[in-house]
Amino acid sequence: MRGIEQTGHLKAPLNWINDPNGFIYYRGQYHLFYQYFPYAPSWGTMHWGHAVSPDLIHWEHEGIALFPTKLADRNGCFSGSAIERAGRLHLFYTGVRYLETDPENIHKHLNNRFESCQMELVSADGRHFDNLDAKRVIIPAITDPELGDATHTRDPKVWRGRDGYHLVLGTTVHREGRLLIYRSDDLVTWELAGTVERDGLGWMWECPDWFEVGGTGVLMVSPMGLLDDGAAPTDMAICMLADFDEDTCRMALADSYQFFDYGLDLYAPQSALDAEGRRTVIAWLRMPAAVEAAEGTWRGMMSLPRVVEVAGGHIYFRIHPNVRAAYRLPVSPEQASARTGYHLAIELHEGESLDLGGYRIARTGGRIVADRSAVCPHNGKCRLTSETPEVREGDRLDIFVDANMVETYVNDGEYVLSHAVFGLEDRIDVHAAATPELHALG
């Protein structure tokens, strides 16, 4: 996998990827690690794959950064984050040890019997990772069931505060999601400093990420079992305003939340500051089937980067300027539909629609509705239609089409609706008064 180059969406080099991990701008490059199973296009013993980019558009896979070597992580290096200190790159992750292994597949556990702890590995340069001697446990497995769960406590996100460092974990107590907040002066010794709860938001909170944008706090989190509508998956990425008091480590959550993306395919978003100081987010696209390609079979890819802004109590996920700059080659509809990546911009009014090779987008009842029935396997693992809330800020759509992903930005991030797709046809049918503008990666 080392040396594989990709433009636009970062995809599995082969086999399986899921959550973005350790997203950071470090030493003049963007580093994105990701959950990786290198042996098959399905979930298994987690490693950390590693990719780098100068601009969030052109990616090169660097190989495997983390892999199981210790008793504490013998069955997987689960998700986590990265932070720079004194020029060194600190990786934080959840180490997993199975208590009951599937005898027919050693890469999977039985009956949810596994134990999780929080670990750290420090790299001197972000390129070399000593998995044998540089790992250490920083937070042992939870032993108090009233605090958290020994199995389901994971995904450390670390940030630097005013007077030290903070780390947030997702966990569960009595089948309700909870956050655990720790603090440290040195990234070595951590003490529990606070908890955050909210009933009715799933049974466990994965991949928490708290940050500030323009002085306003935002929490992104992925509650498991959030939706119960008879469709799969039920775990969803959401975001909400959240005030954090660094002195007391108390976090106050807003009463309401938004979905991170209204296609409901994206999960586990993680943020970082880009080179210009913009809060930027990338998320994992859950794919209901693997892709058979000439170079091999793969499953899993990442969204394009999005810039987070907050205005009027609403959280916007805007098109990153580097994405706009990358899609700069004017093309005709015929040329665009035959390419693996293009950007279509159009004003779409009530009652109008688009058909992008079988993927249909319409403006209906003031909402943007997407239907992928013709371009998604009917295997019960994906919702075939999705829609945004009522759109209030205009009619502009910016649609980024990849062979296996369509991202629709409504009014530059008022809402975003993204889907995994398969087998798009080479055609663009426009049922609207406006003429679309089309650009390809150039």
Side-chain angles (χ1 to χ4, degrees):
M1 62 180 285
R2 183 182 295 274
I4 293 176
E5 296 182 357
Q6 296 171 340
T7 302
H9 293 94
L10 180 70
K11 304 175 182 180
L14 282 177
N15 297 309
W16 170 276
I17 68 171
N18 57 282
D19 306 359
N21 298 154
F23 183 29
I24 189 171
Y25 184 69
Y26 171 74
R27 295 193 177 187
Q29 283 194 310
Y30 295 96
H31 293 251
L32 184 67
F33 302 84
Y34 48 83
Q35 294 284 273
Y36 180 48
F37 185 57
Y39 308 124
S42 58
W43 189 93
T45 301
M46 285 292 100
H47 300 52
W48 276 30
H50 181 204
V52 296
S53 172
D55 57 6
L56 296 169
I57 300 297
H58 299 89
W59 293 96
E60 182 175 359
H61 289 276
E62 289 286 301
I64 294 173
L66 297 184
F67 56 90
T69 56
K70 305 295 184 183
L71 180 64
D73 70 0
R74 65 182 297 175
N75 297 111
C77 303
F78 278 18
S79 290
S81 59
I83 193 170
E84 179 181 358
R85 183 175 186 236
R88 301 200 298 170
L89 188 63
H90 294 245
L91 303 182
F92 295 86
Y93 68 101
T94 298
V96 170
R97 179 173 68 92
Y98 290 171
L99 304 179
E100 188 174 358
T101 302
D102 184 345
E104 300 302 318
N105 184 350
I106 64 169
H107 294 290
K108 295 190 176 182
H109 55 79
L110 289 178
N111 304 313
N112 256 345
R113 285 184 44 75
F114 63 92
E115 183 179 84
S116 302
C117 68
Q118 313 314 315
M119 302 181 68
E120 179 192 29
L121 183 149
V122 182
S123 169
D125 58 4
R127 297 283 185 170
H128 300 89
F129 307 92
D130 185 351
N131 282 265
L132 296 177
D133 297 320
K135 292 177 177 177
R136 61 185 168 198
V137 174
I138 58 167
I139 301 174
I142 300 293
T143 57
D144 180 0
E146 296 301 315
L147 174 63
D149 191 79
T151 297
H152 297 293
T153 299
R154 54 181 171 265
D155 308 336
K157 179 64 192 290
V158 180
W159 72 93
R160 183 177 180 85
R162 184 180 61 252
D163 297 318
Y165 299 91
H166 299 275
L167 178 155
V168 62
L169 291 170
T171 190
T172 179
V173 176
H174 304 307
R175 299 294 292 180
E176 294 285 352
R178 171 182 284 188
L179 301 182
L180 303 178
I181 300 175
Y182 291 77
R183 60 184 167 196
S184 173
D185 294 327
D186 56 9
L187 294 179
V188 176
T189 302
W190 294 88
E191 61 175 359
L192 181 66
T195 63
V196 184
E197 298 88 15
R198 171 67 60 80
D199 292 344
L201 286 183
W203 68 268
M204 190 272 170
W205 291 359
E206 292 194 294
C207 303
D209 188 349
W210 183 88
F211 51 83
E212 286 189 338
V213 178
T216 299
V218 174
L219 174 69
M220 298 190 304
V221 69
S222 296
M224 302 182 73
L226 179 65
L227 294 187
D228 185 18
D229 58 358
T234 62
D235 311 334
M236 290 295 146
I238 63 174
C239 57
M240 66 189 80
L241 302 184
D243 292 329
F244 178 64
D245 186 320
E246 185 172 331
D247 295 326
T248 63
C249 285
R250 293 180 179 175
M251 186 179 292
L253 305 181
D255 293 333
S256 61
Y257 67 85
Q258 304 169 211
F259 286 112
F260 171 75
D261 185 288
Y262 283 82
L264 306 183
D265 274 0
L266 290 182
Y267 196 69
Q270 187 168 108
S271 77
L273 292 177
D274 72 3
E276 306 301 322
R278 294 171 292 228
R279 180 59 59 172
T280 301
V281 177
I282 290 178
W284 165 49
L285 178 74
R286 298 179 285 194
M287 302 178 71
V291 176
E292 301 288 344
E295 61 275 15
T297 305
W298 62 274
R299 186 174 177 184
M301 56 191 292
M302 301 298 173
S303 70
L304 293 171
R306 305 173 179 185
V307 175
V308 188
E309 294 184 5
V310 179
H314 185 76
I315 303 169
Y316 295 78
F317 295 97
R318 303 199 184 279
I319 302 165
H320 195 283
N322 291 9
V323 174
R324 286 196 181 278
Y327 288 83
R328 62 180 182 270
L329 180 65
V331 290
S332 68
E334 294 75 21
Q335 291 170 323
S337 64
R339 301 177 71 96
T340 57
Y342 66 88
H343 169 210
L344 184 151
I346 193 171
E347 297 280 330
L348 196 71
H349 303 287
E350 184 68 23
E352 297 181 337
S353 64
L354 305 168
D355 187 331
L356 308 178
Y359 183 82
R360 298 188 292 273
I361 302 171
R363 179 76 176 264
T364 304
R367 302 166 184 262
I368 300 300
V369 180
D371 183 343
R372 59 172 166 180
S373 301
V375 290
C376 187
H378 294 265
N379 57 10
K381 297 181 180 179
C382 64
R383 292 170 173 81
L384 297 179
T385 61
S386 297
E387 63 182 37
T388 69
E390 185 175 355
V391 176
R392 301 184 181 278
E393 299 185 11
D395 307 304
R396 182 178 173 86
L397 302 185
D398 286 279
I399 306 166
F400 294 86
V401 180
D402 178 277
N404 290 105
M405 185 176 187
V406 180
E407 299 186 53
T408 301
Y409 291 75
V410 183
N411 300 319
D412 193 20
E414 180 186 356
Y415 300 109
V416 192
L417 194 159
S418 305
H419 275 143
V421 294
F422 300 81
L424 290 176
E425 299 175 5
D426 292 343
R427 60 181 173 84
I428 298 174
D429 300 323
V430 179
H431 307 285
T435 299
E437 301 174 8
L438 289 157
H439 292 85
L441 287 164

